[in-house]
Amino acid sequence: MSPSDLLAFDQKHIWHPAQQMKDGEVFPPIIIDHAQDCYLYDVNNKEYIDIISSWWCNLLGHCHPEINAALKAQLDKVEHVIFANFSHRPALNVCQKLLPYLPQGLTRFQFCDNGSSAVECALKLAFQYQLQTGRGQRKKYMCLDSAYHGETIGALSVGSMDLYTSLYKPLMMNNIHFDGLDCYRCPYGKTRTACNCECFESAEKAFSRYGKETVAVIVEPLLQGAAGMRMYPPAYLKKLRRLCNAYDVLLIDDEIAAGFGRTGTMFAIEQAGVTPDILCTSKGLTGGYLPMALTITTEKIYQAFYADYGEHKAFMHSHTYAGNPLACTAAATVLTIIKRDHILSHAATKGAYLHTCLKERLGNHKNVGEIRHLGMINAIEIVKDRKTKEAFSPSQRIGWHIFRQAMQHGLVLRPIGDILYFNPPLIMKEETLAAAVDICAAAIETVLGS
């Protein structure tokens, strides 16, 4: 089919995620033909910088020759095998290579299909653990304001963003949501670099009232991604860990977006120096090649499920493609490259460079309220008035219009509302980062003036 025929077929049959499909009439989807390194190429061979890592999952660039070769070799061995009563080298390699990076005490791996599935697994596992250790009265979960943990019903139930949840509330669990973590508009007048996490009082009140009926609290560490790349200090996680210990509430660490070096360390929770009871990870796990996720927990939790068959304590939870050998091969190869090529230390240098470029180019723009960063992630909050931090009306869709301008000039700058973010592959070169900043700035100036 010709490029125009491909687009026509797409618009007739494909239902794309997370967008109003009528927008496609004025901003049609881009048909991608191939990709290389940090660039995408459409069917007309137009080049786009993939500054959002294809929804935050591409770590080492597209069509990485080493990952490609490993997958091709694995294809000639086994493509898939049931993971119940079977195992294989790729799965074992992933666990062996990942163990040294995990917070101390996390040693048991559940293989899942995607991030939402990993969260569902964690929620079920946490409930059954509490039940089998004599705390069966615990049936609620706690989560934070503006939390996002996935799109399945259980994952939505521990999310707090009306954009995703309001329509489905009749179907969702009744959980406990507490305030906190909006450091840009801190109600206490503090900043994220100079506070004592005063907002933690909301969590303390929630635990005081509901702690004894709570299974677990789930948290995105240091970075609330879908909330607009909200960033908060590690001290909050230290306080949360202590509170969970005091009430025998499990701590679930959702590293799906923050993990694999995105925040400057392999897992964001490292920066708080605490260990969760359960850690979920996906996205960057396979370098953006194949869907796979892990729900990782402690030996203590594992032992609550280890019993004679007749006690019926097994965790009866499964996914058809759990432990898929191809996905595991990609993940094991990603981990090899990260360690051998010192990817995380190089990414730290690039993250600082990117933030400097953005501050120099956009730091004084009349509509840039804040440019915040954590590792390679940078977020630009667009506001109507930078002094008062007043936001534009959502109906103006400022971020969407800037996105359209950036795409015209070859930058995939997909916004979250009026927050523009850079979440590039960890190997992106400085000259590419600088080019992306220039396109971003030009797009903002086109929509909002200089």
Side-chain angles (χ1 to χ4, degrees), residues 53-298:
S53 298
S54 290
W55 241 338
W56 321 351
C57 65
N58 188 287
L59 279 186
L60 304 174
H62 295 278
C63 294
H64 192 288
E66 191 170 342
I67 303 173
N68 286 4
L71 285 170
K72 290 172 184 175
Q74 182 59 40
L75 272 172
D76 290 328
K77 294 178 180 178
V78 59
E79 81 298 340
H80 183 63
V81 62
I82 182 175
F83 210 51
N85 296 109
F86 289 89
S87 194
H88 47 75
R89 285 190 178 90
L92 299 172
N93 285 341
V94 170
C95 298
Q96 183 182 41
K97 292 175 183 293
L98 195 54
L99 274 169
Y101 290 105
L102 291 171
Q104 186 176 6
L106 294 178
T107 59
R108 293 286 183 170
F109 297 76
Q110 278 271 346
F111 284 77
C112 307
D113 288 354
N114 57 70
S116 296
S117 297
V119 169
E120 294 282 343
C121 176
L123 297 176
K124 289 173 63 180
L125 191 153
F127 170 77
Q128 189 172 341
Y129 168 81
Q130 296 283 22
L131 180 67
Q132 291 175 183
T133 54
R135 292 184 284 268
Q137 80 280 5
R138 296 175 182 262
K139 297 175 183 177
K140 292 183 180 292
Y141 298 86
M142 291 188 189
C143 60
L144 281 147
D145 171 56
S146 296
Y148 175 85
H149 298 287
E151 301 285 358
T152 50
I153 292 297
L156 283 174
S157 296
V158 289
S160 300
M161 297 187 66
D162 284 346
L163 174 65
Y164 303 104
T165 63
S166 60
L167 185 66
Y168 306 105
K169 283 182 179 177
L171 307 177
M172 289 158 49
M173 297 182 287
N174 183 25
N175 291 319
I176 299 117
H177 304 252
F178 51 86
D179 297 330
L181 305 186
D182 189 356
C183 296
Y184 175 53
R185 294 181 175 87
C186 176
Y188 301 87
K190 304 288 184 177
T191 67
R192 68 175 62 84
T193 56
C195 76
N196 293 312
C197 296
E198 284 81 359
C199 61
F200 195 72
E201 66 178 3
S202 180
E204 292 172 328
K205 290 176 182 176
F207 271 79
S208 177
R209 184 173 179 182
Y210 301 107
K212 296 301 182 182
E213 58 185 287
T214 299
V215 171
V217 59
I218 184 167
V219 63
E220 299 162 89
L222 304 188
L223 174 77
Q224 290 187 299
M229 297 297 176
R230 284 187 180 180
M231 300 169 188
Y232 64 94
Y236 193 97
L237 295 172
K238 291 178 181 287
K239 290 188 173 188
L240 191 58
R241 175 73 275 181
R242 288 195 293 267
L243 202 54
C244 286
N245 290 345
Y247 284 86
D248 290 321
V249 170
L250 297 183
L251 176 59
I252 301 172
D253 174 24
D254 179 354
E255 297 266 0
I256 291 161
F260 282 84
R262 290 295 184 190
T263 66
T265 50
M266 190 64 162
F267 294 105
I269 205 166
E270 290 177 49
Q271 297 176 44
V274 300
T275 295
D277 300 291
I278 303 171
L279 184 150
C280 302
T281 190
S282 185
K283 287 193 182 289
L285 175 61
T286 68
Y289 268 72
L290 291 161
M292 189 170 87
L294 291 168
T295 302
I296 310 168
T297 190
T298 62

Side-chain angles (χ1 to χ4, degrees), residues 426-446:
L426 301 184
I427 52 81
M428 186 173 281
K429 297 179 176 65
E430 289 188 354
E431 53 265 36
T432 307
L433 293 170
V437 170
D438 285 340
I439 296 172
C440 173
I444 291 172
E445 289 163 358
T446 298

